[in-house]
Amino acid sequence: MTNERGLNGNQLKLIAVVSMLLDHIGVILADGELYDLLRILGRSAFPIYAFLLVEGFFHTGSWKKYALRLGVFAGMSECFYDLALTGHPVDWRCQNVFLTLLLGLLMMQVLSWLRSWMPGPAGLYMQLAVIIGFCGIAWLMKTDYSYSGIMLIAIFYWFYGDRRNSCMVGLLWMAVMETPMLRVLGLAAGFLMIYAYNGTRGRWNGRWFFYLFYPVHLMILELIAFLWI
């Protein structure tokens, strides 16, 4: 269903980019009350990225190429992510969000296969097992948003086509996982914008901008932190 009065895909991506930038400015450069404010504003980003990942999965011509892009940019971004968050170029205690999205994409492909090959209660139980399994992988790999992010992707996949319930269940899940509670305000704003999605991509094809923005902005913020702090 489309509604030209809502937000298109490019507008959602731009909102997510700005939210993510504010979040990372808070993490890398800010402290005190400014830190708290920026982290609240930054909570909108991941729900939007998770939602658009699911949208992309259902519309992509090749999930393998989609997975390859996510994998390549996960590799490109990891050094900058580790430097920005921990000060070390390689740190196995945390992995960037592209890896979370890649795991989510692979999970959806496995779930799609199961829906085709194993309908009925047995297939349902297998799908739940797959979701739990990928949540465990994300937790073990210490990806950004970990199992909570994978579960949110699963919720958007499970309720695909039912925007109201996907947003309600997704917000409830993320609110339970989020601390401190004030950040739920940012999450709620993100889900409201997802609900306003009009089902269109938008005229501008900015795919590579959105992919490249992640490692580039981390590199710039880390450089500012190095020169300033």
Side-chain angles (χ1 to χ4, degrees):
M1 182 179 69
T2 62
N3 176 9
E4 295 299 330
R5 296 170 59 185
L7 297 170
N8 64 43
N10 282 330
Q11 290 167 334
L12 273 181
K13 288 177 185 177
L14 286 171
I15 291 168
V17 160
V18 172
S19 175
M20 177 180 66
L21 176 61
L22 294 174
D23 189 56
H24 289 163
I25 290 173
V27 172
I28 299 168
L29 300 176
D31 55 21
E33 293 181 357
L34 179 59
Y35 170 87
D36 294 333
L37 175 61
L38 292 173
R39 297 309 307 275
I40 292 170
L41 297 174
R43 293 301 88 187
S44 296
F46 184 78
I48 295 174
Y49 281 127
F51 171 76
L52 292 173
L53 176 78
V54 178
E55 283 288 311
F57 173 77
F58 279 101
H59 291 96
T60 186
S62 171
W63 71 268
K64 293 179 182 178
K65 291 181 181 179
Y66 197 178
L68 179 62
R69 289 195 298 271
L70 292 172
V72 167
F73 279 92
M76 287 175 55
S77 304
E78 188 57 35
C79 176
F80 302 120
Y81 180 80
D82 289 346
L83 275 171
L85 268 70
T86 70
H88 303 287
V90 178
D91 195 320
W92 299 109
R93 293 173 297 175
C94 56
Q95 320 303 328
N96 71 82
V97 76
F98 270 122
L99 187 56
T100 311
L101 297 176
L102 175 59
L103 288 174
L105 180 70
L106 296 176
M107 174 189 68
M108 287 190 289
Q109 185 57 41
V110 175
L111 294 175
S112 179
W113 285 335
L114 284 173
R115 284 185 172 184
S116 299
W117 297 344
M118 194 181 295
L124 179 62
Y125 293 134
M126 283 298 297
Q127 289 180 57
L128 291 173
V130 166
I131 293 170
I132 293 170
F134 273 91
C135 285
I137 293 171
W139 179 76
L140 288 171
M141 296 182 73
K142 298 178 175 22
T143 67
D144 198 7
Y145 283 91
S146 188
Y147 64 89
S148 64
I150 296 296
M151 183 59 73
L152 179 61
I153 294 168
I155 289 168
F156 280 131
Y157 175 85
W158 202 278
F159 288 98
Y160 184 74
D162 185 352
R163 190 87 52 78
R164 177 177 297 177
N165 282 328
S166 67
C167 286
M168 289 176 59
V169 176
L171 175 58
L172 178 61
W173 166 254
M174 293 301 287
V176 170
M177 294 293 104
E178 189 62 69
T179 55
M181 285 302 294
L182 272 177
R183 294 182 189 174
V184 175
L185 296 174
L187 286 171
F191 281 98
L192 282 173
M193 287 179 279
I194 291 168
Y195 189 71
Y197 174 57
N198 64 19
T200 65
R201 179 180 296 180
R203 296 180 181 180
W204 179 49
N205 184 8
R207 172 193 291 176
W208 297 112
F209 166 80
F210 293 116
Y211 277 106
L212 286 167
F213 184 86
Y214 187 78
V216 170
H217 92 280
L218 287 173
M219 178 180 64
I220 293 172
L221 289 177
E222 175 57 26
L223 180 61
I224 293 171
F226 176 77
L227 295 174
W228 181 18
I229 298 176

